[in-house]
Amino acid sequence: MEGSWRRGIVGALAVTGAALSKLRPAKAGQYPVQGSDDIMAPKSHGSTDRPVQEGLRWNVDWNTADRICSFNRHFAEYAGYWRSTAFLTEANREGETFYDSVTGKPLFEAPKGRTWEQFEKESKSHGWPSFRDEEVNWENVRCLPGGECVSVDGTHLGHNIPDSNGNRYCINLVSVAGKPRLIG
């Protein structure tokens, strides 16, 4: 399986000319905001323009982050990985902003519309940090037709897996452990 995954990535990288994102905005108040598969077109570093940042937050593994963020469309960090990091002891329980591990753009902010305990309980139940519509920064996040959740810059984040409470964005911690992008 590892070999076929690598062959698929090599084949994808052989495609030339990344197209710009063609966005299909949702109707007012309707989520998720949709994007096209063009967002994930091959770029200079897999689906992104560069590798993930050095020194990612919460001591997440750089190699895992780079593989998941830039050379992946379907796979995830293992279930519960986020609990093995420093996240639960270092995150701001009053409101944590989650940044793209490649670009540093803000992608999610939690908790919103619920408590930290509710956010943590739902995330533990599903195995990955789980966000709701109001916690997503829709300026920088899109969902593709198959449910893949990505940044507008091509970082693979996870998937939208709706449940009885609505949209639930099941996100890899390695994809959102970036440091804020410096403006200037």
Side-chain angles (χ1 to χ4, degrees):
M1 183 155 173
E2 181 74 25
S4 64
W5 181 79
R6 288 184 189 273
R7 282 191 299 277
I9 294 301
V10 170
L13 292 174
V15 178
T16 58
L20 294 174
S21 305
K22 294 178 184 165
L23 305 178
R24 293 180 295 155
K27 296 176 184 170
Q30 183 184 15
Y31 295 106
V33 176
Q34 296 289 309
S36 76
D37 279 322
D38 291 349
I39 293 171
M40 300 303 283
K43 299 174 187 68
S44 60
H45 190 76
S47 62
T48 61
D49 285 330
R50 60 185 175 269
V52 297
Q53 301 172 353
E54 294 292 332
L56 293 168
R57 297 186 303 160
W58 308 306
N59 297 319
V60 303
D61 181 70
W62 189 92
N63 289 317
T64 301
D66 197 53
R67 181 174 44 84
I68 296 293
C69 291
S70 302
F71 297 98
N72 169 56
R73 299 290 306 274
H74 307 289
F75 299 105
E77 63 199 28
Y78 65 82
Y81 170 81
W82 65 283
R83 294 173 68 185
S84 72
T85 69
F87 174 72
L88 288 173
T89 57
E90 294 179 2
N92 180 353
R93 294 168 181 273
E94 300 299 315
E96 181 65 61
T97 301
F98 298 80
Y99 298 94
D100 187 317
S101 291
V102 175
T103 67
K105 290 180 180 178
L107 302 176
F108 302 92
E109 187 175 340
K112 282 188 177 178
R114 59 183 171 164
T115 66
W116 180 267
E117 290 74 22
Q118 290 168 321
F119 166 77
E120 189 176 326
K121 181 179 178 182
E122 180 175 64
S123 297
K124 283 180 179 178
S125 169
H126 294 291
W128 289 267
S130 296
F131 300 92
R132 296 295 175 166
D133 288 332
E134 60 270 17
E135 296 171 322
V136 182
N137 180 329
W138 292 110
E139 181 178 330
N140 298 320
V141 175
R142 297 291 182 268
C143 284
L144 305 184
E148 182 181 8
C149 189
V150 302
S151 79
V152 295
D153 298 295
T155 304
H156 172 82
L157 305 174
H159 290 85
N160 177 19
I161 305 171
D163 62 15
S164 61
N165 294 318
N167 290 313
R168 181 177 61 81
Y169 306 95
C170 187
I171 303 300
N172 295 290
L173 186 67
V174 297
S175 300
V176 295
K179 294 174 278 188
R181 159 182 80 177
L182 297 176
I183 310 284

